[in-house]
Amino acid sequence: MLKSMPSPPIDPPSRLLCGPGPSTVDPRVLAAMQRPMLGHLDPDFHDLLEEVVRMLRLVYRAPEGLALPLSATGTSGMEVGIVNLLAPGETIIVGQCGFFGRRIVEVARRHGADVIVVEADWGEAVPNAALLQALDEHPETRILAVVHAETSTGVEHPLAALGKELRAHPGGENVLLMADCVTSLGGVELEFERWGVDYAYSCTQKCLAAPPGMSPIALSERALERIEARDHAVPFSLDIELLRNYWTERPAVYHHTVPVLHIYALHEALRLVLAEGLERRWNRHRVAGAYLQQGLYALGFSLLATPTRQLAPLTAVRVPDDVDGKQVQEQLLRDHGIEVGGGLGSLAPPMWRIGLMGPNANQETADAVLTAFEEVFSQQPVLAAMAAG
Ligand SMILES: Cc1ncc(COP(=O)(O)O)c(C=O)c1O
């Protein structure tokens, strides 16, 4: 029988969130969510929307085109790009070397696209030359999509080089470059306009250090022209033209009731990114990631990503043979209050995924994770032997 009493108020434990996301939310971002609630059609709130858009352009380095956050997560950012920029039956090339590349493939297939998959092993990046060769074989291609920061493997795609090579490639001029920036925005160097990216999507719960719930996107002028010229129908809630009428046109045209408090949070998160300075923040993530990776090597671990492609905010660590990776994760959580991730999906090799994102991208947090791993090892014979030599 259903109990008729209400539950007690929530009292979640405090965690150090060092997994693939969500990351620890900056306390100033949490505080912003407690400011007075405004209505989504209040003119004062619309001023705030414009500030969010302005700051988002700065963080994406996207001065032209359009930037706005979707009331959705990273996956919807992916889907919004596909359904707005590609008609069913059109061709998309997808670089796939992990779980999230696969997800782009699935989303595009569900939309009825003709999907050309260019694969690399987990831990590698798909070579740009292979992507361009696929374009030679499929000159009808409308979008080329890659994951800038593959959270399932800790690999960074050389996106700057891809943008340059694509534009210089015969037939590349009219192909839209789409990048999954879910784990890179605000933590890894990203120059949307200068690198020639046409559509990027991200999330709020990783390097931006806000709660999950929004997906900041950016579109180039070329992508907007594609949208203006399209004649296929787009689901109402995903239609960028309608969303734009609320976010950037004035008077604002109601589309849906946006999550006001999440927008406060994103406003504060973007403000903090810009107050720190983008370059400085990228560098902080780079230094923290490298420090953690050195520490893991020193403990005897090997990493999944090929070293030249290693991502800073996310490190995938191979679980040594005979070690129960899940049990280690549980011990880290239970005894140390530290969350790290495991492998994602059935194709993933056994791994731990450690994120140092947002306020956690520092040496102190890396040390806390390394120390906790060491303590857990000492209780697992195989790991203790590994650490000893
Ligand atoms: C690279 C990448 N793309 C897409 C997603 C999907 O984002 P979400 O879980 O917010 O829908 C994630 C989530 O971790 C991700 O890491």
Side-chain angles (χ1 to χ4, degrees):
M1 222 199 26
L2 213 52
K3 283 196 206 149
S4 60
M5 297 291 287
S7 303
I10 59 162
D11 184 20
S14 177
R15 302 272 198 241
L16 191 56
L17 295 178
C18 293
S23 61
T24 300
V25 175
D26 193 297
R28 291 167 289 185
V29 172
L30 278 182
M33 297 184 87
Q34 292 173 3
R35 309 295 298 164
M37 175 78 186
L38 288 174
H40 64 296
L41 297 177
D42 185 319
D44 283 339
F45 185 59
H46 291 167
D47 292 346
L48 198 138
L49 299 183
E50 283 162 29
E51 277 302 294
V52 168
V53 166
R54 184 184 67 79
M55 292 193 287
L56 201 50
R57 283 183 180 287
L58 294 170
V59 172
Y60 260 124
R61 296 261 161 101
E64 307 294 333
L66 176 69
L68 55 83
L70 305 170
S71 310
T73 70
T75 305
S76 299
M78 187 187 286
E79 194 140 39
V80 160
I82 302 263
V83 302
N84 278 274
L85 298 169
L86 197 68
E90 288 185 336
T91 304
I92 177 172
I93 296 173
V94 182
Q96 177 190 294
C97 54
F99 183 91
F100 291 105
R102 262 183 106 73
R103 180 164 287 188
I104 300 177
V105 171
E106 182 175 349
V107 167
R109 285 202 175 125
R110 282 175 182 236
H111 181 54
D114 184 11
V115 186
I116 311 300
V117 183
V118 185
E119 271 190 275
D121 288 341
W122 284 52
E124 305 286 335
V126 178
N128 287 344
L131 293 165
L132 296 176
Q133 189 186 328
L135 179 58
D136 291 338
E137 289 160 13
H138 300 277
E140 74 284 6
T141 298
R142 303 282 279 163
I143 298 183
L144 194 164
V146 292
V147 180
H148 184 209
E150 181 46 91
T151 327
S152 65
T153 62
V155 165
E156 178 175 346
H157 191 93
L159 187 59
L162 179 59
K164 202 167 163 191
E165 289 164 29
L166 177 63
R167 295 309 162 214
H169 197 78
E173 190 48 42
N174 296 321
V175 175
L176 297 184
L177 178 57
M178 168 167 153
D180 177 323
C181 297
V182 166
T183 297
S184 56
L185 187 69
V188 177
E189 183 182 5
L190 173 61
E191 298 274 358
F192 179 89
E193 184 167 298
R194 198 156 63 75
W195 294 357
V197 182
D198 293 300
Y199 180 75
Y201 57 92
S202 188
C203 72
T204 40
Q205 73 266 21
K206 301 201 193 231
C207 297
L208 294 181
M214 300 214 80
S215 175
I217 61 170
L219 289 96
S220 67
E221 290 292 352
R222 188 174 15 221
L224 291 174
E225 281 163 23
R226 176 82 58 95
I227 287 177
E228 269 159 37
R230 75 181 174 205
D231 54 17
H232 67 281
V234 169
F236 186 91
S237 62
L238 309 182
D239 188 337
I240 287 174
E241 287 197 303
L242 301 181
L243 290 162
R244 177 189 205 169
N245 291 342
Y246 175 71
W247 275 92
T248 64
E249 299 303 311
R250 294 293 173 264
V253 181
Y254 164 73
H255 174 262
H256 68 279
T257 308
V258 292
V260 173
L261 299 185
H262 279 74
I263 291 170
Y264 291 179
L266 178 57
H267 183 282
E268 182 63 9
L270 294 171
R271 216 180 61 73
L272 293 175
V273 170
L274 294 170
E276 179 175 2
L278 261 183
E279 274 89 0
R280 189 181 292 186
R281 193 175 175 97
W282 295 336
N283 195 48
R284 177 164 63 77
H285 282 78
R286 199 175 49 72
V287 171
Y291 179 85
L292 174 74
Q293 287 145 17
Q294 282 312 314
L296 289 163
Y297 282 132
L299 289 175
F301 288 111
S302 51
L303 307 185
L304 184 73
T306 194
T308 51
R309 296 282 173 245
Q310 176 64 60
L311 195 56
L314 192 286
T315 305
V317 187
R318 288 187 188 278
V319 175
D321 292 343
D322 304 324
V323 170
D324 183 343
K326 194 87 198 135
Q327 192 191 325
V328 171
Q329 264 177 270
E330 282 165 11
Q331 263 181 278
L332 288 168
L333 190 68
R334 193 185 59 230
D335 301 342
H336 301 270
I338 296 179
E339 179 177 285
V340 305
L344 202 52
S346 58
L347 300 177
M351 69 174 99
W352 297 297
R353 291 183 301 140
I354 307 175
L356 295 182
M357 303 178 191
N360 288 341
N362 58 54
Q363 187 172 326
E364 195 188 343
T365 308
D367 279 333
V369 172
L370 291 166
T371 305
F373 261 93
E374 264 186 299
E375 279 185 37
V376 172
F377 300 171
S378 61
Q379 292 153 28
Q380 287 226 8
V382 178
L383 290 171
M386 195 182 96

